[in-house]
């Protein structure tokens, strides 16, 4: 059987979450910082640890079959790969920011001004679409200090908390793209059974992460009202309790509207609510 190769970031913001995701898929491998390649003992897969910038091309060229990398890097490298799954981590936005004492308030005021960035391709396309002609200054890092040094009038960089912009006296001005880590594969093998198996495992882990397992006690008089509030995988399990007319309802609730649902359930008569994390949901 063919052994697949998946490229993930060796160190940096996406490394830990990528390793955690693969381990949660039941894959057994060593995560030695010194090795570039690590075999998985219980699945025909090898993990390649690379710089994130190299991952899209490795996947495009078939050196790796799969990769986990930020959408920003894929867009910047302009590779031809297949997107398989958004992974929900490494979320950030590529933004144009200007010094907070600046008079720039509209996009067309960037005409003829300079913008420092490590993302010249994405920024170039964005400005072209907006009909703006700026001088794009490509630099390799520490973009946020360039206006202070007089190197550029504005910057275009990734932002997550906004702390870096703030501490450098910059304010976000325009959203160029939003990004998160995604699973990609080489264009020619997205249909492979092994890749599909891996994607299904990843999806079952992601689904479980977005959902909580909830058990609640309810009097039979309130049962229909409670059931009406539950989304559930199918319909909830209802288990009789030792006390007459009381049942335990078992169900799953999406993380995103968790607190709203819980307070609605309490109002409808739910008691003794127990919430548990879910490891996997296989449909
Ligand atoms: O060594 P290697 O080349 O592999 O790593 P790298 O240094 O190029 O990348 P790394 O590890 O910094 O980021 C990897 C990926 O994480 C990026 O390509 C994005 O997809 C994603 N990501 C998510 C981020 C951020 N959030 C982020 N905040 N990448 C970088 N930043 C930087 C940003 O450039 C700025 O300097 O963090 C600073 C801003 O952060 P806040 O929180 O202050 O706004
Ligand atoms: Zn990088």
């Amino acid at each position: 059987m063919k052994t697949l190769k998946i490229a993930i970031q060796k160190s940096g913001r996406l490394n830990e979450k990528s390793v955690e995701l693969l381990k949660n898929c039941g894959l057994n491998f060593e995560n030695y910082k010194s090795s570039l390649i690590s075999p998985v003992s219980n699945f025909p897969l090898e993990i390649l640890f690379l710089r994130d910038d190299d991952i899209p091309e490795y996947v495009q060229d078939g050196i790796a079959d799969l990769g986990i990398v930020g959408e920003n890097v894929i867009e910047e490298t302009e590779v031809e790969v297949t997107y398989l799954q958004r992974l929900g981590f490494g979320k950030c936005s590529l933004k144009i920011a200007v010094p907070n004492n600046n008079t720039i308030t509209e996009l067309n005021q960037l005409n003829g001004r300079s913008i420092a960035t490590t993302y010249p391709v994405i920024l170039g396309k964005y400005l072209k679409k907006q009909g703006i002609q700026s001088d794009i200054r490509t630099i390799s890092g520490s973009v946020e200090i360039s206006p202070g040094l007089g190197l550029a009038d504005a910057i275009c960089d990734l932002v997550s908390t906004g702390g870096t912009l703030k501490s450098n006296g910059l304010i976000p001005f325009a959203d160029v793209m939003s990004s998160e880590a995604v699973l990609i594969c080489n264009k020619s093998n997205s249909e492979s059974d092994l890749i599909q198996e891996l994607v299904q495992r990843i999806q079952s882990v992601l689904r479980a992460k977005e959902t909580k397992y909830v058990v609640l006690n309810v009097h039979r008089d309130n049962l229909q009202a409670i059931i009406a509030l539950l989304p559930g995988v199918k319909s909830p399990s209802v288990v009789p309790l030792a006390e007459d007319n009381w049942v335990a309802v078992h169900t799953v609730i999406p993380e995103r509207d968790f607190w709203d649902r819980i307070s609605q359930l309490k109002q409808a008569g739910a008691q003794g609510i127990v919430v548990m994390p879910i490891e996997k949901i296989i449909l």
Side-chain angles (χ1 to χ4, degrees):
M1 191 188 277
K2 182 185 174 231
T3 298
L4 293 177
K5 291 189 176 70
I6 183 166
I8 66 171
Q9 194 187 24
K10 184 172 169 58
S11 63
R13 287 168 194 266
L14 303 184
N15 166 269
E16 210 173 289
K17 290 270 172 61
S18 306
V19 167
E20 182 187 304
L21 177 65
L22 296 177
K23 296 228 159 168
N24 286 341
C25 288
L27 303 175
N28 266 336
F29 59 94
E30 298 293 343
N31 183 25
Y32 295 131
K33 289 277 173 229
S34 54
S35 67
L36 279 179
I37 187 158
S38 184
V40 173
S41 63
N42 57 353
F43 197 86
L45 181 70
E46 285 173 339
I47 320 253
L48 306 184
F49 296 95
L50 301 175
R51 284 203 56 196
D52 68 345
D53 315 69
D54 296 333
I55 293 175
E57 274 179 29
Y58 269 55
V59 174
Q60 173 184 256
D61 300 346
I63 298 162
D65 305 281
L66 296 144
I68 294 179
V69 68
E71 290 169 290
N72 52 302
V73 181
I74 302 171
E75 294 290 313
E76 186 63 27
T77 45
E78 296 186 294
V79 290
E80 296 268 334
V81 292
T82 301
Y83 278 65
L84 292 174
Q85 181 66 46
R86 304 175 83 83
L87 300 174
F89 61 86
K91 288 188 179 177
C92 54
S93 331
L94 187 64
K95 291 183 194 253
I96 297 176
V98 292
N100 55 18
N101 57 3
N102 203 290
T103 52
I104 299 178
T105 53
E106 282 176 30
L107 211 51
N108 62 19
Q109 288 177 277
L110 290 172
N111 262 316
R113 312 247 188 162
S114 56
I115 310 177
T117 189
T118 50
Y119 292 93
V121 172
I122 302 175
L123 177 61
K125 284 183 185 164
Y126 173 82
L127 292 175
K128 194 169 172 202
K129 213 167 151 195
Q130 303 290 334
I132 309 284
Q133 285 196 324
S134 304
D135 170 18
I136 298 177
R137 306 226 164 128
T138 307
I139 57 176
S140 60
S142 303
V143 174
E144 63 279 358
I145 59 172
S146 36
L149 294 176
L151 281 171
D153 300 309
I155 68 160
C156 175
D157 198 12
L158 295 174
V159 178
S160 46
T161 62
T164 305
L165 291 186
K166 207 168 176 196
S167 61
N168 285 281
L170 299 163
I171 45 170
F173 177 71
D175 286 335
V176 176
M177 86 172 276
S178 54
S179 173
E180 70 182 88
V182 289
L183 178 72
I184 52 170
C185 81
N186 180 273
K187 279 228 162 229
S188 65
N189 58 7
S190 60
E191 298 301 317
S192 127
D193 287 349
L194 267 185
I195 290 185
Q196 290 305 321
E197 159 79 25
L198 199 62
V199 171
Q200 276 171 22
R201 287 199 194 190
I202 288 176
Q203 286 173 343
S204 77
V205 172
L206 295 176
R207 230 178 266 129
K209 245 187 165 173
E210 288 162 6
T211 321
K212 297 276 186 250
Y213 191 89
V214 178
V215 180
L216 44 91
N217 294 336
V218 56
H219 192 276
R220 278 198 187 275
D221 289 351
N222 297 326
L223 185 58
Q224 285 317 314
I226 294 282
I227 288 176
L229 289 170
L230 299 175
V233 171
K234 261 198 184 150
S235 66
S237 314
V238 178
V239 183
L241 294 181
E243 196 175 330
D244 269 356
N245 288 322
W246 280 83
V247 290
V249 176
H250 294 234
T251 191
V252 295
I253 291 186
E255 174 86 61
R256 62 176 183 280
D257 53 2
F258 180 74
W259 289 109
D260 288 346
R261 294 256 185 203
I262 292 292
S263 64
Q264 287 169 355
L265 289 166
K266 275 169 78 176
Q267 277 170 19
Q271 294 182 11
I273 304 172
V274 177
V275 181
M276 288 163 274
I278 301 176
E279 198 173 294
K280 293 176 186 71
I281 297 181
I282 296 144
L283 295 180

